[in-house]
Amino acid sequence: MTSPPREAKIIEWDDMDKRKFYGFGFSIMMGIRAGIYPTILVKTRLQVQKHDTFYKGTWDAFKKIIRYEGMRGLYRGFMVNAFTVFSGQCYITTYELTRTKLAHCSNFTRSFVAGGAASLIAQSITVPCDVVSQLLMMQGQTGDGRVIAGVSPVKKTFGVIQTIWVQEGVPGFYRGYLASLLTFIPNSALWWPFYHFYWQQLVSIAPSGVPFIALQAVAGPAAGMTSATLTNPMDIIRTRLQVTGGSTIIQTFVQLLKEEGLKGLTKGLTARYLSTIPTSFMLTVSYEFIKRVSLKSHLLQEREW
């Protein structure tokens, strides 16, 4: 006698104890941010440099940063960037609440709309942190004092903040804001439906003994690579606008194509994969783990791990 098919049932917002959810979530997400930050720094430097002026690729960038700047060089701007953990909590709260409000819609619609809405809220907090941390990331990149044109060799976080404030005021902290929305809203809106799709497909073909958490650990990175590939061109434009202060999205895009052709649209994609794959893996496993341990007591025995 065959056993009934397994059901990939999503743990929803109303199923969880919120105190446990936020308590576990903050500490785990801070650890993840520290783990993947070096790949974000490398991606930023690769996307900002024109042609291969100093770094010849992802691994070359890692080697040169460590050689000239030491391991500390991989964490330039980390303390500012760490504030994005707060925006992450805002992100997931918005995502879950939006899913709840759209309970009458299909799972695809709920995931797509909620993912986009969550990113809109989170980016309003994240962009100023990104602008400051990305400028800090660019400091000391060649080990001999040279920097990419347009990036001032400021030495401290407060120096960066003061420079932006004096030169541009509040708008300076929102460089590339529109480009960020055009990058991360689609990325987030695509990631969640792809994640649920891949997970459901894996559940349908995997042996019954394989834990759900293992299948989700595969679905997360697969969704991350899919959405990263589709949104990488806009991510390059966003990064250049935020770091070099370019004028408009269209002009930056035209300049990129003029200087480097279609190949330029893939700049930093390998580094982005190196960031996206472990990030998606850790976030997916951590998020699903947090949701399970945060389940209300009467639901603990009803959900499969």
Side-chain angles (χ1 to χ4, degrees):
M1 184 177 179
T2 59
S3 58
R6 303 167 79 190
E7 181 182 1
K9 193 171 183 179
I10 299 170
I11 297 174
E12 301 291 356
W13 185 244
D14 292 335
D15 298 334
M16 294 181 287
D17 180 325
K18 308 307 184 295
R19 288 179 298 178
K20 292 181 180 179
F21 181 78
Y22 285 116
F24 286 121
F26 182 83
S27 56
I28 290 176
M29 295 308 163
M30 181 63 79
I32 291 173
R33 174 62 57 174
I36 57 94
Y37 187 79
T39 62
I40 298 174
L41 181 140
V42 168
K43 174 185 73 70
T44 298
R45 292 193 179 184
L46 288 172
Q47 289 183 339
V48 172
Q49 77 169 1
K50 297 180 179 180
H51 302 291
D52 293 331
T53 51
F54 186 70
Y55 303 121
K56 307 305 179 185
T58 301
W59 301 116
D60 184 57
F62 270 110
K63 288 189 293 184
K64 286 180 176 176
I65 291 169
I66 293 173
R67 181 189 308 159
Y68 293 122
E69 305 172 48
M71 291 299 296
R72 291 180 63 183
L74 294 174
Y75 282 90
R76 290 185 182 273
F78 174 72
M79 292 309 297
V80 175
N81 190 267
F83 281 104
T84 59
V85 172
F86 171 72
S87 73
Q89 297 298 308
C90 294
Y91 172 94
I92 205 62
T93 301
T94 304
Y95 173 79
E96 292 290 353
L97 289 176
T98 304
R99 275 188 62 88
T100 301
K101 294 294 184 182
L102 298 175
H104 60 284
C105 299
S106 68
N107 184 61
F108 174 87
T109 300
R110 296 174 72 193
S111 299
F112 185 84
V113 175
S119 185
L120 174 62
I121 298 299
Q123 285 308 304
S124 299
I125 302 170
T126 300
V127 168
C129 295
D130 276 348
V131 170
V132 175
S133 67
Q134 285 171 345
L135 287 172
L136 289 168
M137 288 178 190
M138 302 306 297
Q139 292 181 4
Q141 61 179 335
T142 66
D144 59 6
R146 291 186 290 117
V147 295
I148 290 176
V151 181
S152 300
V154 287
K155 297 180 180 181
K156 298 180 180 179
T157 300
F158 288 112
V160 175
I161 294 172
Q162 184 178 25
T163 299
I164 296 172
W165 177 259
V166 170
Q167 294 181 355
E168 303 176 62
V170 173
F173 292 99
Y174 281 89
R175 288 180 187 172
Y177 179 59
L178 179 58
S180 290
L181 296 182
L182 293 176
T183 300
F184 291 111
I185 288 179
N187 187 81
S188 178
L190 290 169
W191 189 90
W192 287 100
F194 274 119
Y195 166 59
H196 290 140
F197 171 76
Y198 290 141
W199 176 39
Q200 289 165 354
Q201 295 304 306
L202 288 169
V203 168
S204 68
I205 62 175
S208 59
V210 179
F212 273 171
I213 197 76
L215 302 179
Q216 290 163 332
V218 175
M225 290 184 67
T226 303
S227 57
T229 302
L230 294 174
T231 60
N232 194 67
M234 186 55 69
D235 189 45
I236 297 172
I237 294 169
R238 174 192 67 85
T239 303
R240 290 197 172 194
L241 283 171
Q242 289 180 338
V243 176
T244 65
S247 53
T248 67
I249 293 173
I250 294 176
Q251 288 178 352
T252 303
F253 179 71
V254 171
Q255 184 179 5
L256 176 63
L257 289 179
K258 183 178 179 180
E259 292 176 350
E260 307 189 45
L262 292 174
K263 185 179 179 181
L265 299 178
T266 64
K267 288 178 73 72
L269 186 56
T270 299
R272 197 172 180 201
Y273 285 155
L274 289 175
S275 171
T276 296
I277 292 172
T279 300
S280 295
F281 173 82
M282 289 186 288
L283 285 176
T284 301
V285 173
S286 299
Y287 180 58
E288 295 295 346
F289 174 79
I290 291 168
K291 289 175 75 174
R292 280 168 172 75
V293 296
S294 301
L295 274 172
K296 294 177 178 177
S297 57
H298 69 278
L299 296 173
L300 287 173
Q301 302 301 320
E302 299 178 11
R303 301 302 171 92
E304 183 180 346
W305 279 72

